[in-house]
């Protein structure tokens, strides 16, 4: 008879546990300062490595850009997506600061975008279990990807 009460109690405990996980990860995030249409300050002291950034971008196991974007600079990559604009010459079109904001949280640019926020853990919907409380990219991944995209002029 009180089964539903137990259900609510369990649900609350699960929500509290999830909130705790998020809180820990959130504290651990590098502070982000948006200025204008970008994030000018790199997330890491170590400069981005373009070669490693290319590896991150083509890592099919980690929400790769290629699921949605076609990248003409990577013709050897199979199964490129067409859910997003073709990513052509990003190094000529965008500054590092603009790419950083786009990667960290594209919803600040396009509120209803389908593009994932690669460095954000709160305010997300339909997060896959393995990503709950975690960011998709680590700070160095963000910087390495930016460094790679800037080479594509
Ligand atoms: C799930 C689909 C998806 C994934 C994955 C994705 N994007 Fe996007 N991206 C979009 C969509 C859709 C847009 C169009 C504008 C918008 O909705 O924000 C976009 C826009 C962009 C833009 C601006 C392009 C323009 O012409 O306005 C850049 C730059 C970009 N994405 C980079 C990336 C990078 C780099 C990655 C991988 C690290 C990535 N995206 C992963 C869907 C995606």
């Amino acid at each position: 008879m009180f089964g539903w009460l137990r259900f609510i109690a369990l649900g609350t405990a699960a929500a509290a546990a999830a909130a705790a996980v998020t809180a820990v990860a959130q504290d651990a995030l590098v502070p982000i300062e948006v200025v204008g249409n970008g994030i000018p300050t790199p997330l890491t002291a170590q400069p981005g490595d373009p070669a490693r950034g290319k590896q991150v971008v083509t890592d099919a196991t980690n929400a790769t850009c290629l699921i949605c974007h076609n990248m003409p600079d990577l013709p050897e990559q199979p199964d490129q997506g067409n859910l997003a604009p073709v990513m052509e010459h990003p190094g000529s079109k965008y500054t590092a600061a603009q790419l950083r904001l786009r990667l960290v949280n594209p919803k600040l640019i396009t509120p209803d975008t389908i593009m994932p926020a690669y460095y954000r853990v709160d305010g997300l919907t339909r997060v896959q279990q393995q990503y709950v409380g975690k960011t998709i990219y680590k700070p160095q991944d963000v910087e390495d990807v930016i460094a790679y995209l800037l080479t594509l002029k």
Side-chain angles (χ1 to χ4, degrees):
M1 177 182 172
F2 291 109
W4 60 273
L5 254 185
R6 189 163 159 267
F7 179 75
I8 290 175
L10 275 177
T12 308
V21 170
T22 306
V24 170
Q26 194 70 49
D27 286 347
L29 287 192
V30 174
I32 303 290
E33 194 193 352
V34 178
V35 180
N37 65 355
I39 299 173
T41 311
L43 306 185
T44 60
Q46 186 179 328
D49 171 354
R52 193 178 166 275
K54 183 174 180 183
Q55 287 171 17
V56 176
V57 162
T58 54
D59 177 359
T61 67
N62 199 16
T64 168
C65 323
L66 296 164
I67 297 168
C68 297
H69 292 273
N70 182 288
M71 294 183 67
D73 291 287
L74 296 172
E76 74 284 2
Q77 291 293 315
D79 304 328
Q80 304 204 12
N82 60 3
L83 300 170
V86 174
M87 212 193 303
E88 216 169 8
H89 316 303
S92 309
K93 286 189 196 153
Y94 305 104
T95 64
Q98 288 168 334
L99 289 172
R100 198 172 286 112
L101 175 59
R102 167 69 62 180
L103 288 177
V104 165
N105 186 2
K107 292 187 175 45
L108 293 176
I109 304 169
T110 315
D112 60 350
T113 188
I114 58 165
M115 180 161 158
Y118 283 85
Y119 193 69
R120 180 171 183 230
V121 293
D122 63 340
L124 304 176
T125 53
R126 297 192 299 158
V127 176
Q128 280 183 39
Q129 195 57 39
Q130 81 250 38
Y131 291 123
V132 171
K134 297 190 197 115
T135 60
I136 300 174
Y137 280 178
K138 295 183 173 49
Q140 196 64 52
D141 297 333
V142 174
E143 294 306 320
D144 292 350
V145 167
I146 293 169
Y148 170 58
L149 296 177
L150 288 176
T151 67
L152 307 178
K153 298 201 185 274

